[in-house]
Amino acid sequence: MAFRHRMISALIGMAAMTWLPAAASAREDADLRALMALLPASVFTSAEQGYVEYIGLAQLVENAGSLSSEQLASLAWGANIRPVAALGADPALFRARSGIGLHDLRWLAGFGQAPQEISLWGFPDASAAQGAFDGLADLGFARAGFLPGVLANGDLGAMDFARSDAADPWRGPMGRTSTVTLRDAALLQAATSADFAPVLGASTTALESDAGRIALAGVEYESEGVIQALILSPLAVGAQSVDPAFLIGKTQQEAQAAFEAEVANISAGLPLYSGAILAEVVTPSGAQAVLSLAYPSCAEAEEALARVPLLWILMNPAYVPAATRLTGQIVDAAPGCAARIVLAPAEDSEAGNLPVLRSVVTGIQFRDVAILRIGSAPAAAAAD
């Protein structure tokens, strides 16, 4: 894979650009790739499926198979993944409740809108996944009706509050039934067998898509492993609207001025990208928060990098707790280029990348995240 490097450095409140030296080559992340080989390409083209949450469990779990509360606290997302939510409730009970040890897993992921969301459990190989699937019988799972290869621990889609257990990934705090099937080296978990359709019915996977290959190249560049990642569709995060709440408490004249400024702000954005991945990755210099945007050409990726510092300044200050230093590269990855942006705390902090990641995630949840918005060039960029 060939790389072209243009580095852009910005401290919030500044729009200065600096050329920095080229970095080391990329290394493929087998675990994130295993997930993307299961996901449908529609995760980059659908607004309904939301975003995909990924946790690189092998990057977090110690050799003994334990997971510390500090490591769980470092995660910026994952609460929507049923096994991750169970870990957060009580990691010491995970093996007893799930029948699966943390050291037996490589990764966990989830996507989709409730109640049709899917959780995915990634194993080292198909044999390990088959063993875990077979072991579900000891936890009360049985064949789901006449469907081959599908197990359930109760009536499909049912809730039984008498069996609720936040530390049990197969039941959870609502006592929901789990339906499970096997796919390659992973278990798929959902409420009903119909919810597996996006994965089992996919004709093209996210890994096979142009958006997936290009965005992944930006994440893997200079990376030694992915700790956590969000796989994003531009249809889900690229369009935003004016929130009328900011008009509260203003006079008519103040409200008019604020509204006009807000409309001008939300028209500014990035050139249209085909997919994005926000990730925390392990690098030789430590963990980094990275945003990778997939573009059909390097010229468009370069334009995106030029706009990013100005768009970050437009981020909602309620979501951005600290100054952030932005650097970027253009990663040449046929059939296009990735705009790779590193978002680093401007000052050393015990919280590390967590505040930066959460600032972006909060913006995504409220559909108010300028750094992912699709739109015209910011006014200052247009003037240049």
Side-chain angles (χ1 to χ4, degrees):
M1 181 182 295
F3 297 98
R4 195 169 67 124
H5 316 282
R6 184 186 183 196
M7 308 294 290
I8 296 180
S9 178
L11 189 62
I12 297 312
M14 302 175 63
M17 293 188 293
T18 307
W19 291 80
L20 298 177
S25 298
R27 187 176 78 181
E28 291 185 357
D29 188 281
D31 292 336
L32 182 56
R33 284 175 172 262
L35 167 64
M36 293 180 66
L38 291 170
L39 294 174
S42 60
V43 296
F44 291 116
T45 59
S46 170
E48 291 74 24
Q49 291 176 353
Y51 48 79
V52 181
E53 299 177 75
Y54 167 88
I55 303 298
L57 207 59
Q59 295 288 336
L60 294 173
V61 177
E62 300 169 355
N63 293 333
S66 62
L67 190 66
S68 69
S69 57
E70 290 78 10
Q71 289 169 313
L72 284 170
S74 71
L75 298 178
W77 47 77
N80 295 324
I81 306 171
R82 290 184 67 172
V84 177
L87 281 168
D90 193 338
L93 293 176
F94 187 79
R95 183 181 184 90
R97 296 290 194 271
S98 69
I100 299 168
L102 291 177
H103 62 280
D104 297 324
L105 290 162
R106 294 293 306 176
W107 53 267
L108 296 167
F111 76 105
Q113 300 289 347
Q116 285 84 37
E117 74 274 21
I118 303 173
S119 293
L120 300 96
W121 305 53
F123 293 82
D125 51 49
S127 176
Q130 182 70 60
F133 185 73
D134 294 341
L136 293 177
D138 297 332
L139 298 174
F141 281 81
R143 181 169 174 173
F146 298 103
L147 297 172
V150 178
L151 302 178
N153 60 353
D155 296 334
L156 301 188
M159 288 191 295
D160 183 353
F161 287 99
R163 304 184 67 180
S164 64
D165 184 351
D168 182 350
W170 307 119
R171 283 291 176 183
M174 306 293 286
R176 296 173 63 194
T177 294
S178 282
T179 305
V180 181
T181 193
L182 185 66
R183 183 65 176 252
D184 299 331
L187 296 185
L188 276 58
Q189 174 189 9
T192 73
S193 55
D195 300 331
F196 298 138
V199 174
L200 301 183
S203 58
T204 304
T205 69
L207 188 61
E208 295 169 327
S209 68
D210 289 351
R213 290 197 299 269
I214 297 169
L216 189 58
V219 170
E220 291 178 335
Y221 176 79
E222 219 178 25
S223 167
E224 296 180 349
V226 179
I227 300 168
Q228 52 187 326
L230 288 184
I231 299 173
L232 304 163
S233 163
L235 294 182
V237 300
Q240 293 158 47
S241 59
V242 174
D243 182 354
F246 76 95
L247 299 175
I248 296 174
K250 292 181 173 62
T251 66
Q252 178 65 32
Q253 185 175 5
E254 291 170 339
Q256 178 67 29
F259 181 80
E260 291 175 356
E262 185 71 6
V263 169
N265 282 345
I266 68 168
S267 68
L270 297 164
L272 177 62
Y273 51 91
S274 58
I277 300 177
L278 174 67
E280 184 177 29
V281 301
V282 178
T283 75
S285 58
Q288 291 183 340
V290 173
L291 174 63
S292 178
L293 305 165
Y295 283 99
S297 72
C298 288
E300 290 165 291
E302 187 169 0
E303 174 63 22
L305 287 187
R307 297 184 189 183
V308 159
L310 295 165
L311 292 173
W312 186 264
I313 294 170
L314 296 178
M315 291 279 282
N316 190 320
Y319 309 150
V320 184
T324 303
R325 182 175 179 269
L326 308 178
T327 59
Q329 296 116 337
I330 295 171
V331 180
D332 198 345
C337 283
R340 179 183 185 273
I341 303 109
V342 176
L343 303 99
E347 298 178 359
D348 291 338
S349 169
E350 292 183 2
N353 298 309
L354 190 58
V356 176
L357 291 169
R358 283 187 172 164
S359 69
V360 179
V361 173
T362 304
I364 290 172
Q365 293 169 340
F366 285 92
R367 299 185 66 82
D368 180 16
V369 55
I371 199 173
L372 287 167
R373 183 190 300 141
I374 296 167
S376 58
D384 292 341

